[in-house]
Coordinates of all heavy atoms in Angstrom, one line a residue:
R1 N 103.3 90.1 92.1 CA 103.3 90.5 90.7 C 102.3 91.6 90.4 O 101.2 91.6 91.0 CB 103.0 89.3 89.8 CG 104.0 88.3 89.7 CD 103.5 86.9 89.3 NE 104.5 86.0 89.1 CZ 105.3 85.4 90.0 NH1 105.1 85.7 91.3 NH2 106.2 84.6 89.7
W2 N 102.7 92.5 89.5 CA 101.6 93.3 88.8 C 100.8 92.3 88.0 O 101.4 91.6 87.1 CB 102.2 94.3 87.9 CG 102.9 95.5 88.5 CD1 103.2 95.7 89.8 CD2 103.2 96.7 87.9 NE1 103.8 96.9 90.0 CE2 103.8 97.6 88.8 CE3 103.1 97.2 86.6 CZ2 104.3 98.8 88.5 CZ3 103.6 98.4 86.2 CH2 104.2 99.3 87.2
Q3 N 99.5 92.2 88.1 CA 98.7 91.4 87.3 C 97.7 92.2 86.5 O 96.9 91.6 85.7 CB 98.0 90.3 88.1 CG 98.9 89.2 88.7 CD 98.2 88.1 89.3 OE1 97.8 88.2 90.5 NE2 98.0 87.0 88.6
D4 N 97.7 93.5 86.7 CA 96.7 94.3 86.1 C 97.4 95.6 85.6 O 98.3 96.1 86.3 CB 95.6 94.7 87.1 CG 94.9 93.4 87.6 OD1 94.0 92.9 87.0 OD2 95.4 92.9 88.7
F5 N 96.9 96.2 84.5 CA 97.4 97.4 84.1 C 97.0 98.6 85.0 O 97.7 99.6 85.1 CB 97.0 97.7 82.6 CG 97.6 96.9 81.6 CD1 96.9 96.0 80.8 CD2 99.0 96.9 81.4 CE1 97.5 95.2 79.9 CE2 99.6 96.1 80.4 CZ 98.8 95.2 79.7
N6 N 95.8 98.4 85.6 CA 95.3 99.5 86.5 C 95.0 98.9 87.8 O 94.2 98.0 88.0 CB 94.0 100.1 85.9 CG 94.2 100.6 84.5 OD1 94.8 101.7 84.3 ND2 93.7 99.9 83.5
F7 N 95.7 99.3 88.8 CA 95.5 98.8 90.2 C 96.0 99.9 91.2 O 96.7 100.8 90.9 CB 96.2 97.5 90.4 CG 97.7 97.6 90.5 CD1 98.4 97.9 91.7 CD2 98.5 97.4 89.3 CE1 99.8 98.0 91.7 CE2 99.9 97.5 89.4 CZ 100.5 97.8 90.6
N8 N 95.5 99.7 92.4 CA 96.0 100.4 93.6 C 96.6 99.4 94.5 O 96.1 98.3 94.7 CB 94.8 101.2 94.3 CG 94.2 102.3 93.5 OD1 94.8 102.8 92.6 ND2 93.0 102.6 93.9
A9 N 97.6 99.9 95.2 CA 98.2 99.1 96.3 C 98.6 100.0 97.4 O 99.1 101.1 97.2 CB 99.5 98.3 95.8
E10 N 98.3 99.5 98.7 CA 98.6 100.4 99.8 C 99.1 99.6 101.0 O 98.8 98.4 101.1 CB 97.4 101.3 100.1 CG 96.2 100.5 100.6 CD 95.1 101.4 101.0 OE1 94.6 102.2 100.1 OE2 94.6 101.4 102.1
T11 N 99.6 100.4 101.9 CA 100.1 99.7 103.2 C 100.1 100.8 104.3 O 100.0 102.0 104.0 CB 101.5 99.1 103.0 OG1 101.8 98.3 104.2 CG2 102.6 100.2 102.9
K12 N 100.3 100.3 105.5 CA 100.4 101.2 106.7 C 101.7 100.7 107.4 O 101.8 99.5 107.8 CB 99.2 101.0 107.6 CG 99.2 101.7 108.9 CD 97.9 101.3 109.7 CE 97.9 101.9 111.1 NZ 96.7 101.4 111.8
V13 N 102.6 101.6 107.7 CA 103.9 101.2 108.2 C 104.3 102.1 109.4 O 104.0 103.3 109.5 CB 105.0 101.3 107.1 CG1 105.1 102.7 106.5 CG2 106.3 100.9 107.6
R14 N 105.0 101.4 110.3 CA 105.5 102.0 111.5 C 107.1 101.9 111.4 O 107.6 100.8 111.4 CB 105.0 101.4 112.8 CG 105.6 101.9 114.1 CD 104.8 101.3 115.3 NE 104.9 99.8 115.3 CZ 104.1 99.0 115.9 NH1 103.1 99.5 116.6 NH2 104.3 97.7 115.9
F15 N 107.8 103.0 111.5 CA 109.2 102.9 111.3 C 109.8 104.2 111.9 O 109.3 105.3 111.7 CB 109.5 102.9 109.7 CG 111.0 102.7 109.4 CD1 111.6 101.6 109.8 CD2 111.6 103.6 108.6 CE1 113.0 101.3 109.4 CE2 113.0 103.4 108.2 CZ 113.6 102.3 108.6
N16 N 110.9 104.0 112.6 CA 111.5 105.1 113.4 C 113.0 105.2 113.1 O 113.9 104.8 113.9 CB 111.3 104.9 114.9 CG 111.8 106.1 115.7 OD1 111.8 107.2 115.2 ND2 112.1 105.9 116.9
P17 N 113.4 105.7 111.9 CA 114.8 105.7 111.5 C 115.6 106.8 112.2 O 115.0 107.9 112.6 CB 114.7 106.1 110.0 CG 113.5 106.9 109.9 CD 112.5 106.3 110.9
K18 N 116.8 106.6 112.4 CA 117.7 107.6 113.1 C 118.8 108.1 112.1 O 119.7 108.8 112.5 CB 118.4 107.0 114.3 CG 117.3 106.6 115.4 CD 116.5 107.7 115.9 CE 115.5 107.2 117.0 NZ 114.6 108.3 117.4
T19 N 118.8 107.6 110.9 CA 119.8 107.9 109.9 C 119.2 107.8 108.5 O 118.2 107.1 108.3 CB 121.0 106.9 110.0 OG1 121.8 107.1 108.8 CG2 120.5 105.5 110.0
Y20 N 119.8 108.6 107.6 CA 119.3 108.5 106.2 C 119.6 107.1 105.5 O 119.2 106.8 104.4 CB 119.9 109.6 105.3 CG 121.4 109.6 105.3 CD1 122.2 108.8 104.5 CD2 122.1 110.5 106.2 CE1 123.6 108.9 104.5 CE2 123.5 110.5 106.3 CZ 124.2 109.7 105.4 OH 125.6 109.7 105.4
Q21 N 120.5 106.3 106.2 CA 120.8 105.0 105.7 C 119.7 104.0 106.0 O 119.8 102.9 105.5 CB 122.1 104.6 106.3 CG 123.3 105.4 105.9 CD 124.6 105.0 106.5 OE1 124.6 104.6 107.7 NE2 125.7 105.2 105.8
A22 N 118.7 104.4 106.7 CA 117.6 103.5 107.0 C 116.3 104.0 106.3 O 116.0 105.2 106.3 CB 117.3 103.5 108.5
M23 N 115.6 103.1 105.6 CA 114.5 103.5 104.8 C 113.5 102.3 104.8 O 113.9 101.1 104.9 CB 114.9 103.7 103.3 CG 115.9 104.8 103.1 SD 116.8 104.7 101.6 CE 118.3 103.8 102.2
A24 N 112.2 102.6 104.7 CA 111.1 101.5 104.7 C 109.9 102.1 104.0 O 109.5 103.2 104.3 CB 110.8 101.0 106.1
G25 N 109.3 101.3 103.1 CA 108.1 101.8 102.5 C 107.5 100.8 101.4 O 107.7 99.6 101.5
L26 N 106.9 101.4 100.4 CA 106.2 100.7 99.4 C 106.9 100.9 98.1 O 107.2 102.0 97.7 CB 104.7 101.3 99.3 CG 103.8 100.7 98.2 CD1 103.4 99.3 98.6 CD2 102.5 101.6 98.2
T27 N 107.2 99.8 97.4 CA 108.0 99.8 96.2 C 107.3 99.2 95.0 O 106.5 98.3 95.1 CB 109.3 99.1 96.4 OG1 110.1 99.2 95.1 CG2 109.1 97.7 96.7
N28 N 107.5 99.8 93.8 CA 107.2 99.2 92.5 C 108.6 98.8 91.9 O 109.5 99.6 91.7 CB 106.5 100.1 91.6 CG 105.1 100.3 92.0 OD1 104.2 99.4 91.8 ND2 104.7 101.5 92.4
Y29 N 108.8 97.5 91.7 CA 110.1 96.9 91.5 C 110.2 96.0 90.3 O 109.3 95.1 90.1 CB 110.5 96.2 92.8 CG 111.9 95.6 92.8 CD1 112.9 96.3 93.4 CD2 112.2 94.4 92.3 CE1 114.2 95.8 93.5 CE2 113.5 93.9 92.3 CZ 114.5 94.6 93.0 OH 115.8 94.1 93.0
Y30 N 111.2 96.2 89.4 CA 111.5 95.2 88.4 C 112.8 94.5 88.7 O 112.8 93.2 88.8 CB 111.6 95.9 87.0 CG 111.7 94.9 85.9 CD1 110.6 94.6 85.1 CD2 112.9 94.2 85.6 CE1 110.7 93.6 84.1 CE2 113.0 93.3 84.6 CZ 111.9 93.0 83.9 OH 112.0 92.0 82.9
N31 N 113.9 95.2 88.9 CA 115.1 94.6 89.3 C 115.9 95.6 90.0 O 115.5 96.8 90.2 CB 115.8 93.9 88.2 CG 116.3 94.8 87.1 OD1 116.5 96.0 87.3 ND2 116.7 94.2 85.9
H32 N 117.2 95.3 90.3 CA 118.0 96.2 91.1 C 118.3 97.5 90.4 O 118.7 98.5 91.1 CB 119.3 95.5 91.5 CG 120.2 95.1 90.3 ND1 119.8 94.2 89.4 CD2 121.4 95.6 89.9 CE1 120.7 94.1 88.5 NE2 121.7 94.9 88.8
Q33 N 118.2 97.5 89.1 CA 118.5 98.8 88.4 C 117.2 99.5 88.0 O 117.3 100.6 87.4 CB 119.3 98.5 87.2 CG 120.8 98.0 87.5 CD 121.7 98.0 86.3 OE1 121.2 98.2 85.2 NE2 123.0 97.9 86.5
H34 N 116.1 98.9 88.2 CA 114.8 99.5 87.7 C 113.8 99.4 88.8 O 113.1 98.3 88.9 CB 114.4 98.9 86.4 CG 115.4 98.9 85.3 ND1 116.4 98.0 85.2 CD2 115.6 99.8 84.3 CE1 117.2 98.3 84.2 NE2 116.7 99.4 83.6
Y35 N 113.5 100.4 89.6 CA 112.5 100.4 90.6 C 112.2 101.8 91.1 O 113.0 102.8 90.8 CB 112.9 99.5 91.8 CG 114.1 100.0 92.6 CD1 114.0 100.9 93.6 CD2 115.4 99.5 92.3 CE1 115.1 101.4 94.3 CE2 116.5 100.0 93.0 CZ 116.4 100.9 94.0 OH 117.5 101.4 94.7
S36 N 111.2 102.0 91.8 CA 110.9 103.2 92.5 C 110.3 102.9 93.9 O 109.8 101.8 94.1 CB 110.0 104.1 91.7 OG 108.7 103.6 91.6
W37 N 110.2 103.9 94.8 CA 109.5 103.6 96.0 C 109.2 104.9 96.7 O 109.9 105.9 96.5 CB 110.2 102.6 96.9 CG 111.6 102.9 97.4 CD1 112.6 103.7 96.8 CD2 112.2 102.4 98.6 NE1 113.7 103.7 97.5 CE2 113.5 102.9 98.7 CE3 111.7 101.6 99.6 CZ2 114.4 102.6 99.7 CZ3 112.6 101.3 100.7 CH2 113.9 101.8 100.7
I38 N 108.2 104.8 97.6 CA 107.9 105.9 98.6 C 108.2 105.3 100.0 O 107.8 104.2 100.3 CB 106.4 106.4 98.5 CG1 106.2 107.5 99.5 CG2 105.4 105.2 98.7 CD1 104.9 108.2 99.2
F39 N 108.9 106.1 100.8 CA 109.4 105.5 102.0 C 109.7 106.5 103.1 O 109.8 107.7 102.8 CB 110.7 104.7 101.7 CG 111.8 105.6 101.1 CD1 112.8 106.2 101.8 CD2 111.9 105.7 99.7 CE1 113.8 106.9 101.2 CE2 112.9 106.5 99.1 CZ 113.8 107.1 99.8
I40 N 109.7 106.0 104.3 CA 110.1 106.8 105.5 C 111.6 106.7 105.6 O 112.2 105.6 105.5 CB 109.5 106.3 106.8 CG1 107.9 106.3 106.7 CG2 110.0 107.1 108.0 CD1 107.3 105.6 107.8
T41 N 112.3 107.8 105.8 CA 113.7 107.9 106.1 C 114.0 109.0 107.1 O 113.0 109.5 107.8 CB 114.5 108.0 104.8 OG1 115.9 107.8 105.1 CG2 114.3 109.3 104.1
W42 N 115.2 109.5 107.2 CA 115.6 110.6 108.1 C 116.5 111.6 107.4 O 117.3 111.1 106.5 CB 116.3 109.9 109.3 CG 116.8 110.9 110.3 CD1 116.2 111.2 111.5 CD2 118.1 111.6 110.3 NE1 117.0 112.1 112.2 CE2 118.1 112.3 111.5 CE3 119.1 111.6 109.4 CZ2 119.2 113.1 111.8 CZ3 120.2 112.4 109.7 CH2 120.3 113.2 110.9
N43 N 116.3 112.8 107.7 CA 117.3 113.8 107.2 C 117.7 114.8 108.3 O 117.0 114.8 109.3 CB 116.9 114.5 105.9 CG 115.8 115.5 106.1 OD1 115.5 116.0 107.1 ND2 115.1 115.8 104.9
E44 N 118.7 115.5 108.0 CA 119.3 116.4 109.1 C 118.4 117.6 109.3 O 118.5 118.2 110.4 CB 120.7 117.0 108.6 CG 121.7 115.9 108.5 CD 121.7 115.2 107.1 OE1 120.7 115.4 106.3 OE2 122.7 114.4 106.8
L45 N 117.5 118.0 108.4 CA 116.6 119.1 108.6 C 115.4 118.9 109.5 O 115.0 119.7 110.3 CB 116.1 119.6 107.2 CG 117.2 120.1 106.3 CD1 116.6 120.5 104.9 CD2 117.9 121.4 106.9

């Protein structure tokens, strides 16, 4: 849960995707229609 109006949260992740369909990272989440995240993924470039 968010329990504070002002906070930091962090993590360290190891992830080796081979497709844009694979993603992993840190999320701020309310429900399936309301969330955001920063994540590792893959693209063609």
Side-chain angles (χ1 to χ4, degrees):
R1 287 158 173 75
W2 286 15
Q3 289 186 280
D4 304 272
F5 289 117
N6 302 288
F7 70 87
N8 294 340
E10 65 179 56
T11 191
K12 174 184 176 184
V13 59
R14 177 173 60 201
F15 187 59
N16 188 25
K18 302 298 184 184
T19 169
Y20 59 83
Q21 295 177 327
M23 297 158 270
L26 180 68
T27 180
N28 287 290
Y29 184 95
Y30 188 100
N31 65 18
H32 64 292
Q33 290 193 352
H34 304 83
Y35 64 86
S36 69
W37 61 330
I38 184 169
F39 56 94
I40 300 171
T41 187
W42 178 96
N43 71 20
E44 296 85 350
L45 296 176

